[in-house]
Amino acid sequence: MRDENPESFATIIGMPILLGGSSTVGFIRRFMDVYGTPNCFSPESMCYRHQIIGYILTTGKFSVADVENSNCIVVWGHNPHASKPPLAWRIEKSRKRGAYLIVIDPRKTKVAKMADIHLQIKPGTDIYLALGFMKVIVEEGLYDSDFVSKFCYGFEELKGHLNKFSLEEISEITWIDVEDIVDSARLFAKTKPACIVQGVNALDQNPSGIQNSRSIAILHAITGNIDVKGGFVRAGRVHTRNLRLPELLKNPPLGIKEHPLFYQIWNTYLGEGQGMYLYDAVLKGYPYKIRGIFVSGSNPVLTWPDTNKTVEMLKEVEFLAVMDMFMTETAKHADLFLPAGSFLERWELVDYYSVIFGIPYMMLRKKVIQPLGESKGDVEFWLELARRMGFKEQFPWKSVEEVIDWVLEPTGYSFDDLNERYPSGVWSGEVKYLEYLKRGFKTPSKKVELYSKTLEELNLPPLPSPLHETREEDEVLIITGARDVYYTHSQMRNVERLRKFVSEPYAEINPETARKYGIRDGEYMMIKTERGSIKIMAKFTEDIAKNVVSIPHGWSEGNVNVLTPHDPADPISGCPMLKGIIARAVEKEKLVERRE
Ligand SMILES: Nc1nc2c(c(=O)[nH]1)N[C@H]1C(S)=C(S)[C@@H](COP(=O)(O)OP(=O)(O)OC[C@H]3O[C@@H](n4cnc5c(=O)[nH]c(N)nc54)[C@H](O)[C@@H]3O)O[C@H]1N2
Ligand SMILES: Nc1nc2c(c(=O)[nH]1)N[C@H]1C(S)=C(S)[C@@H](COP(=O)(O)OP(=O)(O)OC[C@H]3O[C@@H](n4cnc5c(=O)[nH]c(N)nc54)[C@H](O)[C@@H]3O)O[C@H]1N2
Ligand SMILES: [Mo]
């Protein structure tokens, strides 16, 4: 495959690898650089990356909400008690100190129950609500006029744009009363400092995803909450050495012709392709044929959208290798299965920033035991493969310890330092407030771009704009992937003790909605979309908005991704639509013919 056309080989890495830090992710990508394929993919095609792009496009950098020091916290599309408990504890602490709390979620989550205001929004309409907030803030003169005039680009254009929307129309679309929109916008704009914690992907996984993230950055900017304690603060990265081969980054992977900003924003390369284009490349040879896939630490049969298509794709390739600790639903299709060592069986450098404090952080994860049986740690495996393939020049290291030392060199720390002197890790750097006073913002205009010329040049909306069609009132909308504190994506279903807490997947549904379809609590229902249908148990709760059904992901029985489309939905990033999907039918199970 490599001799004929190396780009026909692709890798899919998953969360355990992505979170492993740059010495793991970068190492695999470096291997692919040398092999000669740009086609590296990961869950970032539908996770987190979109928020990063939206924030960078607007403020030139990635920022996080400083909830600990804030006096008004907006939690938007996020359920941190399930998905990020350390953040939930900090919100609770701030709340006790007297901070206001606004939560925007179609479900009354634990954090929503603690809130001053809970806006039970119609899924997928967040962009309208954001425009409503901006409208109130701008028209009532609640914005920070000094910051706006000195540091924002395009305020007049934004002001004109907001005239196109009325609060009554926004209220109808979002299911939120005008009064609640106005009260929330006033509370957010008048309380200083204030911040918005955006969920990791709830706002991204729809056609207006990047528009949502841009709007959140803009709301911080016009209220003067950028780079201030308790506001929206820059997340700095640890400056470790990049393992990628920079000259090869210029060769873009699949999906980048269609979504250039998914790969590169100005001088920043983000480094991977949009995985939603892998389907056509494998199945239709468009724009060229992908013939082999290596899946490392991912379970796309349960975690990627459109399971039927995903399975078709994995069956179609001439060669499929899967490296995992378990014989997963994905591994069952593999030509070659490679046993992976767990995080306890390898050294790993974690070098990110804290998504709670924004401070760069690094830590050496310790190898506690030697890999069991024939398993290998991921980097160890790729190092050995590089050796056997003769990539010695680009892979001169003899061990994973040496790789980590090389990556660490620019930081002034070594493997031994982290192993012996700082066993619990080191913070490297601090949050820098008001940085822009010295250098401006790292955007083409050097200001916060309310109006984005970069988007305009790509024929994309330069101002935050809805890219959704509005829908019929009585449709049932499916939101997928709400996190459950007991499980991580498709993992841990084999742990019996956890099964005692949640033994099978369920769909949360409001009793009033369920009654319309003759379904009772605990009964099985069939849910059908244009992609497929699944059987799933109905769990009644008054805490979910009417006409909304919430289904978790990661279950092999009741696999919600049978229902989801893989088409790139957001024109900027190509993110697929995993929230706010229209249900074709919701029926009591026995009334429906089984598909297979
Ligand atoms: N419908 C819907 N789908 C979703 C989402 C949603 O909200 N809705 N969320 C999406 C998001 S945000 C994400 S991040 C993805 C996650 O998608 P994936 O990353 O595919 O998620 P996991 O199921 O955690 O798969 C990780 C696999 O790695 C294996 N593993 C664990 N440790 C190691 C290791 O050290 N080495 C190797 N080689 N393997 C290891 C595990 O056994 C498991 O099979 O799911 C996405 N899917
Ligand atoms: N225990 C556990 N923790 C995890 C994970 C896990 O699998 N298990 N996965 C990790 C990963 S990779 C990720 S990406 C994050 C995901 O983190 P998040 O994306 O923040 O996911 P949740 O915390 O479930 O919160 C999403 C909330 O958004 C709401 N929601 C759904 N659709 C909409 C909408 O259209 N608008 C609004 N406003 N709200 C909506 C849902 O009801 C839900 O309460 O979690 C991480 N943490
Ligand atoms: Mo994720």
Side-chain angles (χ1 to χ4, degrees), residues 15 19 43 46-48 75-85 104-109 119 121-126 129 198-203 205-206 478-490 544 550 553 578-580:
M15 262 350 248
L19 292 178
M46 54 201 140
C47 171
Y48 209 48
V75 177
W76 203 327
H78 198 11
N79 178 17
H81 287 96
S83 64
K84 212 185 281 169
I104 306 164
D105 197 306
R107 300 187 307 142
K108 202 171 204 38
T109 55
L119 304 175
I121 194 166
K122 177 177 180 181
T125 65
D126 301 86
L129 181 63
Q198 179 179 350
V200 188
N201 62 34
L203 302 189
Q205 295 168 343
N206 73 55
I478 304 166
I479 52 179
T480 75
R483 299 319 191 240
D484 183 321
V485 78
Y486 301 110
Y487 298 115
T488 302
H489 306 293
S490 70
I544 191 163
S550 171
H553 73 304
L578 304 180
K579 313 279 194 266

Side-chain angles (χ1 to χ4, degrees), residues 104-152:
I104 306 164
D105 197 306
R107 300 187 307 142
K108 202 171 204 38
T109 55
K110 189 166 176 190
V111 73
K113 286 179 185 161
M114 288 161 40
D116 296 290
I117 305 178
H118 173 211
L119 304 175
Q120 205 157 17
I121 194 166
K122 177 177 180 181
T125 65
D126 301 86
I127 182 65
Y128 288 95
L129 181 63
L131 287 163
F133 285 169
M134 286 180 218
K135 190 174 171 73
V136 175
I137 292 166
V138 169
E139 290 177 2
E140 294 191 5
L142 301 175
Y143 57 94
D144 181 334
S145 55
D146 191 47
F147 183 87
V148 166
S149 62
K150 288 192 189 131
F151 300 109
C152 292

Side-chain angles (χ1 to χ4, degrees), residues 265-323:
I265 309 176
W266 310 313
N267 295 323
T268 305
Y269 283 95
L270 302 169
E272 64 178 54
Q274 176 41 274
M276 298 308 112
Y277 288 80
L278 196 52
Y279 297 83
D280 273 0
V282 172
L283 295 169
K284 297 183 186 156
Y286 179 82
Y288 51 82
K289 190 86 180 165
I290 294 287
R291 296 164 52 202
I293 298 181
F294 197 118
V295 179
S296 247
S298 183
N299 192 3
V301 169
L302 299 187
T303 57
W304 280 40
D306 204 343
T307 306
N308 292 327
K309 261 278 169 57
T310 304
V311 169
E312 230 183 282
M313 168 168 88
L314 297 177
K315 283 186 174 161
E316 171 70 19
V317 283
E318 290 162 40
F319 175 69
L320 175 69
V322 175
M323 181 152 172

Side-chain angles (χ1 to χ4, degrees), residues 338-355:
L338 296 150
S342 73
F343 67 97
L344 297 169
E345 298 163 77
R346 59 166 189 249
W347 295 107
E348 189 158 61
L349 175 69
V350 181
D351 55 343
Y352 284 131
Y353 44 80
S354 153
V355 287

